[in-house]
Amino acid sequence: GENVEQHPSTLSVQEGDSAVIKCTYSDSASNYFPWYKQELGKGPQLIIDIRSNVGEKKDQRIAVTLNKTAKHFSLHITETQPEDSAVYFCAASIRQGSNYQLIWGAGTKLIIKP
Amino acid sequence: DAGVIQSPRHEVTEMGQEVTLRCKPISGHDYLFWYRQTMMRGLELLIYFNNNVPIDDSGMPEDRFSAKMPNASFSTLKIQPSEPRDSAVYFCASSLRLVSHEQYFGPGTRLTVT
């Protein structure tokens, strides 16, 4: 079946440095790619998303890039802060018959070292 | 709006018992999703509803699991009988649209089956 691979599973960076999380997807028809942040004890929360007609999108310290040819997309966090510590999930939309759904990556635990 | 509400937040039960998880979606959202999260399998979509009608239940692991949405403001996920391997965090999420729209997650129910 369709899947989304996410790397790395754990990422530790020094406060103030940048963090990059990468995902690859298998369905060439996927056209929506959200990123969710999950803090301890909470449900995932959308932080940024990108659609297939756009190559890059930025929102303050967060950016997402999409390469449809290679079928991969990445999350970039600059000037990392302690509150960025969380688990980050990527996802890609897929169509199964008449139904759509999101396929989720396995998650990346981001640790910001003070 | 108070966001997606789930109850209980924690549930500990013995193997063989019936478990009922509850969810109140955000008012006006047409879609409701039930997810299960474990360390081994990550975030899995179990079932989703559109306007109270189940659309895709292909993620429901087996007949012991059932979900209902009797009205637009309430849904239940029932496990009968429960087994230790059902131990996980169960999330409910709601969305205005199916694709390309944010899914708003509840805080989750942590289920432990002993």
Side-chain angles (χ1 to χ4, degrees):
Chain A
E2 307 296 347
N3 71 316
V4 173
E5 293 188 1
Q6 183 171 348
H7 300 280
S9 57
T10 304
L11 178 61
S12 183
V13 301
Q14 205 70 37
E15 182 179 349
D17 289 350
S18 295
V20 180
I21 303 170
K22 299 181 180 181
C23 289
T24 59
Y25 59 97
S26 56
D27 186 358
S28 57
S30 295
N31 58 12
Y32 175 63
F33 309 90
W35 286 89
Y36 282 74
K37 175 183 180 182
Q38 184 177 23
E39 298 178 343
L40 196 62
K42 297 183 179 180
Q45 183 175 10
L46 180 71
I47 54 172
I48 194 168
D49 57 15
I50 191 167
R51 289 163 175 74
S52 59
N53 59 343
V54 175
E56 184 176 3
K57 183 177 179 180
K58 289 183 179 180
D59 183 3
Q60 298 183 339
R61 298 186 296 107
I62 294 174
V64 58
T65 58
L66 172 65
N67 183 328
K68 286 220 72 179
T69 302
K71 290 192 285 187
H72 68 69
F73 56 113
S74 301
L75 177 71
H76 304 254
I77 305 174
T78 59
E79 301 173 13
T80 53
Q81 301 171 3
E83 54 263 37
D84 295 329
S85 293
V87 178
Y88 291 81
F89 292 94
C90 64
S93 63
I94 65 163
R95 182 172 183 172
Q96 293 182 325
S98 60
N99 296 322
Y100 290 87
Q101 65 170 276
L102 290 177
I103 298 296
W104 296 79
T108 296
K109 183 176 183 179
L110 176 62
I111 301 167
I112 307 300
K113 297 180 291 185
Chain B
D1 201 313
V4 175
I5 299 173
Q6 290 186 248
S7 65
R9 292 295 310 276
H10 302 274
E11 177 79 35
V12 180
T13 191
E14 292 184 348
M15 182 174 62
Q17 296 299 306
E18 177 180 296
V19 175
T20 299
L21 310 181
R22 297 173 176 80
C23 174
K24 175 179 169 55
I26 293 173
S27 177
H29 282 191
D30 292 336
Y31 289 86
L32 182 140
F33 308 83
W34 280 101
Y35 288 91
R36 178 172 68 177
Q37 186 175 40
T38 62
M39 290 294 294
M40 290 297 296
R41 301 177 65 88
L43 198 60
E44 302 174 277
L45 177 65
L46 301 177
I47 185 172
Y48 76 87
F49 295 82
N50 177 24
N51 292 325
N52 314 337
V53 177
I55 301 300
D56 185 356
D57 64 354
S58 59
M60 296 286 262
E62 46 196 278
D63 292 345
R64 296 185 298 107
F65 286 69
S66 62
K68 294 182 179 179
M69 193 165 185
N71 57 63
S73 59
F74 184 64
S75 177
T76 60
L77 178 68
K78 186 175 294 186
I79 308 172
Q80 165 63 17
S82 58
E83 297 182 3
R85 59 194 170 118
D86 301 331
S87 297
V89 180
Y90 291 82
F91 288 103
C92 174
S94 69
S95 175
L96 277 171
R97 299 287 184 267
L98 180 56
V99 184
S100 301
H101 277 78
E102 180 173 1
Q103 292 186 17
Y104 293 81
F105 283 76
T109 295
R110 180 174 294 278
L111 173 64
T112 303
V113 183
T114 61

